[in-house]
Amino acid sequence: MKNYLILLCSAFLIFSCQTKQETSKEEEDPRMAGFKGKIAKTFEDSVEDWPEVETFTGKDPNVLIILLDDVGYGQLGPYGGLTETPNIDKLAKGGLLYNNFHTTALCSPSRAAILAGRNTHSIGMGSHALSAMGFPGYAGRVPMEAQEVTKIAQKGGWTTYALGKWDHTPGFQTHQIGPYTYWPTNDGFDHTYTFMAADANNFTPVMYAGHEPIEPSRGNPDYHLSTDLSNKATHYLTGQASIDPDRPFFMFWAPGGMHAPHHAPKEYIEKYKGKFDMGWDEARKEIHKRQLELGVIPAGSALTERNKEIPAWDSLTADEKRMYARQMEAFAGQLEHLDMEIGRMLATLERIGKLDNTLIILTSDNGASGEGGLSGSHNEMLIVNSQQTRLEENLDRYDEWGSEATDNHYHAGWALAGNTPFKYFKQTVHNGGIKDPLIVHWPAGIKGKGEVRNQYHHIIDIAPTILEVLDLDFMEEIDGIKQMPIDGGSFAYSFNAPDAPDQHTTQYYEMYGNRAIYKDGWKAVTIHGNRMPWDFAGTYPFDDDVWELYNVKEDFTESNDLSQKFPEKLEDLKAAWEEEAWKYNVFPLYDDLGARFSNVAKIYAPQRKEFVFYPPGAVRISEPYSPPVKNKNHSITAYVDMPKEGASGVLVAAGGLYGGYTLYVKDNRLVYEYNAYNEDRFTIKSKTALPKGEVVLKAVYDVNEDKTAVVTLFVNGEQVGQGPVNRTHPGQYSLSETFDVGQDTGTPVSKHFTRENKFTGNLDRLVVTLK
C-alpha cells in the first residue's frame, strides 16, 4: 500500500511538471507581460510581437492659448483700444470676437481655472496663491483631483508646452529642489520654460527651464522677455513640425505683458510720445465711440461715469498730466511690442502649415489693473507694501520710464480707461474686473470671419471647449486619482451658430470679499468695504456691504443700478450667491490681506532660528522660503578664506534692483547695503581692510521701535563699522527676485556691483540667525 501511494504521488508530480512546462512562459514571467508573440530556441521558430507605435493623421487640431496679463476689455485694437495691435486685429478678423466673456478678477485663480475647467474655490484657488488660507477654497494648491486639460491632451498624444508666467505654484515650492507637485511639469506639460511668479522684470527675468533655474538675459543687452518667449515658441513649433509633423501640439503661452512692470524697447515707447496727452477722460470717450462703431458693445450702451476715486484729467497739474501720460506711453509701447511678437508666432504657424488647424484662444486673466494707485509708480513694490508713490519720485525717472531702471505701473485712471466702457478694475467683480477680451481663431472649424458672439461665457468654459474640439473624453480617473467634475461647459456650440442661446446661465464671483452673481441675465454685485485695488490694508464688516442690481441683458455696461426698484430680485440673487458659495467652497470670507500674506509665511516658511547656507548651490531660493528677517533682530555671519590678493563679490543678497538687502565685499572692505524701493539706499562699510586667510565676517541687524534699524559690522569679532537703516520694507522686496548666497542672481540689489558678482574668495558657509 505504501509503495502504491509513492507511485501515485510521483505520477502526480510528473503530471504537474508536464502541465507547468506546457504553460506559457510569457504568462508566468512578468518580464514578458503583454508579449503576444512566440519565443523558441531559433529565430525561425519564433514569432515577433512589436509594440504598437502611436501614429497620427495630421488632421487633429492643435491648440495655442495666448493668455495676456491685466489686459482690460478696451485695450486691444479689436475692442476699440488706442494702441496699435495689427496682429491681434488679424486674429479677430479671421476668427470670432466674444463680447460677453468673464474671468475671476485675479491672475492666480484665472490661470488655474482656464486649464482646470473648474470654479476657483472648488480647486483651492479662491485668491492668489500667496494669500492662501487653511481652508479648502483657499488652499493655494490645485488638488490632484482637478487635473488640467493638458493632462488629458498629453495622454491623448498631444505634445504639450508651457511658456511664460506660471503663477499658481505655492511660493514655498518655487525653488530648484522641489517637490514639483504643483509645477507645470506635473500638470501635463512635456516642456516648460517659465517664470514662477506674479510678474517679471522683462529685461532680466528669473526663469526656469523645466526645474533648472536659468538667466537667459545674461550677456544679451538687447534681451526682452516677450521676444524670448516668442523665440522659444518658434523653436518648439518648428522642431515638432520637423520631427513629427502629424503629431498635434498644445501650447500655453503666457507672456509678462501687460502686467507691471510695463517694460518695452525704447523706440516702442517713444512712438507713443504725446499720444495720450488727452488724458483718461477723453480716452474713455474715444474708446467707447470705437466700440460702438466696431459692434463689440450693443448699440446704445452707455459709457459708465468715471469712478469718484479717479480725479478728472482737467483737474490735474501740468506735472501730473505730463507724468501720467508718460505712464500710458510705456504701457502702449509694451503692448505693441508684445503684439509684434505674437505676429512672429502666427507667421511661424503659417510657415509650417499649422495655422488653419490650430485653435487659437487669446484672452486675459482679469481686467486692467488699478493697483498702480492714484499716482502710478516707478516701483510697484511700493504698492505691494501699501505705499503710494510721490509724484516727485516718479518725475525723477520720467526719461527712463519703461526701462529696467523702473518697476513701473500706471495711474488707476488709465486702468479705468482700459476697462472702457465699464467701471472699476482688476480685483473687483464689476465688469471692469471680470469682463475680458476673448478672440477665437480656427479656420478649419469656424466658418464665420470677424464676427461677434455675445453668449455669456466664463474662463472655466475654455477647458471643456478644448476637449470638445480635440474630440477627447473627460477622464473620470487620472493616474489612479478620481477626478472631480468639470464645472464649465463647452462654448464650441457658438462657433458656427451666432444666435444660439446661452448655455452658461449662472455664475458666482468672489475676490477678496468682493462678491457677485450672474443668473439668467441679472447680476447682483458688491465691492466689499468700498476697498479699491491699491488699498491692501484694513478689514471691514461684510454685513455693511451695499449690493447693486443690474439687468445686464439690457444694461451691458452696468450703468443703471436697479437695487432700489427691485429689492426682492436683489434678495433672491443674494440668496442664490450664498447657495453657490456653499456649493463651491467660498466660505469663510476673510478680508485682512496683510494677515493672509503673513500667515502663509508663518505656516510654510522655514521655522528655524538658524539657517546655514553652503555655496555654490544656495541660490535662487524664493523670497517666501528665505530667512524671515524683515524688521526682526538677526545676524548674518560669513565664514570665508580671503586670498592674498584680496577678494570681492556678494556674500548674500535678497531681492534685487527694486528693493532688498545685501552683504558683500568691495575694495577689500565689508559692506552691508539696504535698498528701500530703489529710492533710499543705506550703506554701512567697514573702516578697515579685511585680513587674509580664514576670516569671520558678521553683520548684526538691530531693530528700533519705529521699525528702522542699526547695522553693526564685525570682522573676527571686532566691531569695524556701524550705521542706520532708516527705511525698510514691511512686506516683500520683490515678486520674482530671489535669495542668493555667494552671488546675486537676477538684478543686483546694490548699484555698486554688476551682474558678474560671484564672491571671488572661498565662502565656506553663511549663517543667518534670528535673535
Side-chain angles (χ1 to χ4, degrees):
M1 183 66 178
K2 184 177 180 180
N3 291 336
Y4 172 77
L5 289 173
I6 292 173
L7 288 172
L8 185 62
C9 290
S10 299
F12 176 77
L13 290 171
I14 292 170
F15 175 78
S16 299
C17 291
Q18 289 175 338
T19 303
K20 187 173 183 180
Q21 288 175 347
E22 292 171 2
T23 302
S24 170
K25 291 183 179 180
E26 295 82 354
E27 293 179 7
E28 285 186 356
D29 192 341
R31 294 171 297 178
M32 308 297 287
F35 178 69
K36 298 176 183 177
K38 177 183 176 183
I39 298 177
K41 287 186 176 182
T42 64
F43 179 82
E44 291 76 12
D45 294 332
S46 301
V47 177
E48 292 181 286
D49 177 31
W50 290 94
E52 292 185 9
V53 178
E54 195 170 34
T55 58
F56 299 92
T57 63
K59 297 180 180 180
D60 296 295
N62 308 291
V63 177
L64 172 61
I65 295 176
I66 301 175
L67 184 56
L68 307 179
D69 205 331
D70 289 2
V71 170
Y73 188 86
Q75 289 181 317
L76 302 180
Y79 287 82
L82 304 182
T83 302
E84 293 183 27
T85 56
N87 295 293
I88 294 174
D89 295 358
K90 183 178 178 181
L91 277 180
K93 290 175 183 176
L96 301 176
L97 183 152
Y98 285 77
N99 73 351
N100 206 4
F101 175 77
H102 305 79
T103 57
T104 73
L106 198 68
C107 44
S108 276
S110 286
R111 289 165 187 276
I114 194 172
L115 296 174
R118 284 102 169 174
N119 283 314
T120 53
H121 297 81
S122 290
I123 57 175
M125 293 301 300
S127 66
H128 197 281
L130 294 175
S131 58
M133 296 192 293
F135 302 102
Y138 304 92
R141 304 181 298 279
V142 178
M144 295 299 104
E145 292 79 6
Q147 288 288 315
E148 299 184 332
V149 64
T150 43
K151 197 84 167 184
I152 300 174
Q154 183 187 51
K155 291 182 178 297
W158 273 253
T159 310
T160 52
Y161 307 92
L163 283 73
K165 178 172 176 176
W166 192 268
D167 187 33
H168 51 284
T169 295
F172 59 89
Q173 281 197 5
T174 52
H175 46 72
Q176 59 266 38
I177 70 165
Y180 304 113
T181 311
Y182 304 106
W183 284 54
T185 49
N186 202 42
D187 276 338
F189 287 101
D190 299 313
H191 308 273
T192 65
Y193 183 72
T194 55
F195 60 94
M196 309 289 289
D199 71 8
N201 179 330
N202 288 264
F203 298 111
T204 310
V206 176
M207 299 295 291
Y208 284 87
H211 303 143
E212 188 69 22
I214 61 170
E215 295 189 81
S217 62
R218 191 178 288 272
N220 182 359
D222 297 323
Y223 179 91
H224 192 282
L225 178 59
S226 297
T227 302
D228 187 14
L229 293 175
S230 177
N231 288 343
K232 187 64 70 172
T234 296
H235 173 81
Y236 284 139
L237 293 172
T238 54
Q240 176 146 342
S242 301
I243 297 166
D244 193 350
D246 290 337
R247 186 176 182 180
F249 64 82
F250 185 128
M251 181 173 286
F252 178 74
W253 196 81
M258 297 304 298
H259 195 292
H262 300 143
H263 285 163
K266 187 174 183 179
E267 62 269 23
Y268 280 85
I269 298 174
E270 293 306 316
K271 175 181 177 178
Y272 286 92
K273 183 73 172 176
K275 297 291 179 66
F276 298 100
D277 288 354
M278 87 289 266
W280 45 69
D281 291 324
E282 290 302 316
R284 293 185 79 224
K285 293 176 184 177
E286 176 61 26
I287 295 168
H288 179 244
K289 177 184 175 182
R290 293 188 182 195
Q291 290 173 332
L292 289 169
E293 293 171 350
L294 291 167
V296 297
I297 62 175
S301 294
L303 175 63
T304 55
E305 294 183 3
R306 173 176 20 87
N307 303 134
K308 65 181 185 302
E309 295 84 4
I310 304 298
W313 184 263
D314 289 343
S315 71
L316 302 176
T317 66
D319 278 346
E320 287 173 326
K321 290 179 179 179
R322 176 171 170 264
M323 186 67 252
Y324 301 156
R326 186 61 170 175
Q327 293 171 0
M328 186 59 199
E329 290 165 10
F331 178 93
Q334 186 186 39
L335 178 54
E336 184 174 340
H337 179 255
L338 177 57
D339 176 85
M340 180 272 294
E341 297 299 351
I342 290 172
R344 291 180 59 228
M345 285 197 302
L346 298 180
T348 295
L349 287 174
E350 192 164 24
R351 172 187 166 207
I352 63 177
K354 300 294 184 182
L355 183 60
D356 282 356
N357 200 24
T358 297
L359 174 68
I360 300 176
I361 296 173
L362 183 147
T363 187
S364 176
D365 53 2
N366 45 248
S369 170
E371 293 160 343
L374 299 179
S375 57
S377 183
H378 70 90
N379 188 347
E380 72 163 330
M381 294 314 298
L382 285 157
I383 298 134
V384 172
N385 286 277
S386 300
Q387 299 182 41
Q388 294 294 301
T389 309
R390 294 186 304 114
L391 176 65
E392 293 74 19
E393 289 286 354
N394 285 338
L395 284 169
D396 285 346
R397 296 161 177 81
Y398 179 91
D399 291 332
E400 53 193 15
W401 202 271
S403 73
E404 189 172 50
T406 62
D407 189 23
N408 54 310
H409 208 323
Y410 57 14
H411 190 292
W414 290 118
L416 182 65
N419 291 325
T420 300
F422 311 118
K423 53 191 172 186
Y424 299 120
F425 326 89
K426 169 187 176 181
Q427 293 190 29
T428 66
V429 291
H430 284 73
N431 276 348
I434 62 173
K435 185 165 279 196
D436 275 290
L438 173 66
I439 296 169
V440 180
H441 183 276
W442 182 34
I446 296 174
K447 298 176 183 177
K449 309 297 179 189
E451 297 177 359
V452 175
R453 295 290 183 268
N454 56 24
Q455 293 89 353
Y456 188 98
H457 296 299
H458 188 267
I459 199 164
I460 62 175
D461 298 331
I462 286 180
T465 302
I466 291 171
L467 289 179
E468 181 175 346
V469 168
L470 302 190
D471 195 25
L472 292 171
D473 293 330
F474 171 71
M475 297 178 67
E476 301 284 347
E477 186 177 289
I478 295 178
D479 298 334
I481 300 173
K482 182 176 174 57
Q483 298 295 293
M484 63 175 67
I486 283 182
D487 297 325
S490 170
F491 57 81
Y493 72 89
S494 67
F495 284 176
N496 297 306
D499 299 322
D502 291 2
Q503 294 187 9
H504 195 138
T505 58
T506 302
Q507 182 61 48
Y508 83 92
Y509 297 88
E510 189 279 332
M511 185 54 60
Y512 293 140
N514 301 322
R515 288 154 286 161
I517 185 166
Y518 167 85
K519 188 172 183 180
D520 299 323
W522 289 82
K523 180 179 176 182
V525 59
T526 183
I527 295 183
H528 175 55
N530 287 319
R531 185 187 68 82
M532 291 294 102
W534 54 85
D535 181 8
F536 286 85
T539 182
Y540 311 91
F542 285 93
D543 290 341
D544 291 349
D545 291 340
V546 177
W547 286 75
E548 302 161 25
L549 176 68
Y550 299 98
N551 181 345
V552 291
K553 284 289 186 183
E554 300 176 1
D555 179 15
F556 184 80
T557 61
E558 299 177 353
S559 57
N560 184 20
D561 180 8
L562 301 174
S563 58
Q564 299 300 314
K565 188 174 182 179
F566 299 110
E568 292 183 358
K569 183 68 174 178
L570 177 60
E571 292 305 315
D572 288 345
L573 286 174
K574 288 166 65 176
W577 181 89
E578 184 161 333
E579 183 179 345
E580 294 291 290
W582 284 115
K583 179 179 178 181
Y584 292 112
N585 287 337
V586 177
F587 293 113
L589 298 175
Y590 184 54
D591 60 351
D592 191 335
L593 299 189
R596 287 173 64 167
F597 279 98
S598 62
N599 286 342
V600 172
K602 291 176 184 176
I603 296 298
Y604 290 116
Q607 303 299 308
R608 302 193 296 274
K609 292 293 184 181
E610 184 175 88
F611 299 76
V612 183
F613 298 99
Y614 300 94
V619 294
R620 291 288 288 273
I621 300 169
S622 66
E623 186 176 324
Y625 204 69
S626 67
V629 299
K630 294 184 185 72
N631 295 318
K632 293 181 180 179
N633 295 328
H634 65 276
S635 65
I636 303 171
T637 307
Y639 296 86
V640 304
D641 189 347
M642 295 289 289
K644 292 180 180 180
E645 64 274 14
S648 63
V650 173
L651 300 170
V652 64
L657 174 61
Y658 311 124
Y661 68 88
T662 179
L663 183 67
Y664 61 97
V665 175
K666 184 176 177 62
D667 298 328
N668 211 32
R669 298 288 197 277
L670 179 64
V671 185
Y672 178 94
E673 184 173 337
Y674 195 103
N675 170 6
Y677 305 106
N678 199 24
E679 289 184 354
D680 298 308
R681 292 170 181 271
F682 305 95
T683 304
I684 299 95
K685 183 185 294 186
S686 65
K687 299 175 183 177
T688 57
L690 300 180
K692 306 301 182 288
E694 294 185 357
V695 183
V696 178
L697 308 176
K698 188 173 186 178
V700 177
Y701 187 101
D702 291 312
V703 181
N704 299 320
E705 288 186 2
D706 61 355
K707 301 300 183 183
T708 62
V710 173
V711 173
T712 308
L713 301 180
F714 297 88
V715 175
N716 291 333
E718 180 181 348
Q719 181 175 326
V720 294
Q722 187 177 75
V725 174
N726 291 332
R727 188 183 182 193
T728 62
H729 288 232
Q732 289 186 267
Y733 302 123
S734 170
L735 293 177
S736 59
E737 302 258 9
T738 56
F739 176 90
D740 305 292
V741 173
Q743 61 179 298
D744 185 359
T745 65
T747 58
V749 173
S750 173
K751 293 183 178 180
H752 292 118
F753 52 80
T754 68
R755 292 189 67 187
E756 304 304 321
N757 55 53
K758 287 185 179 181
F759 182 62
T760 58
N762 178 35
L763 173 59
D764 178 66
R765 67 192 185 280
L766 182 132
V767 180
V768 178
T769 305
L770 302 181
K771 296 193 296 180

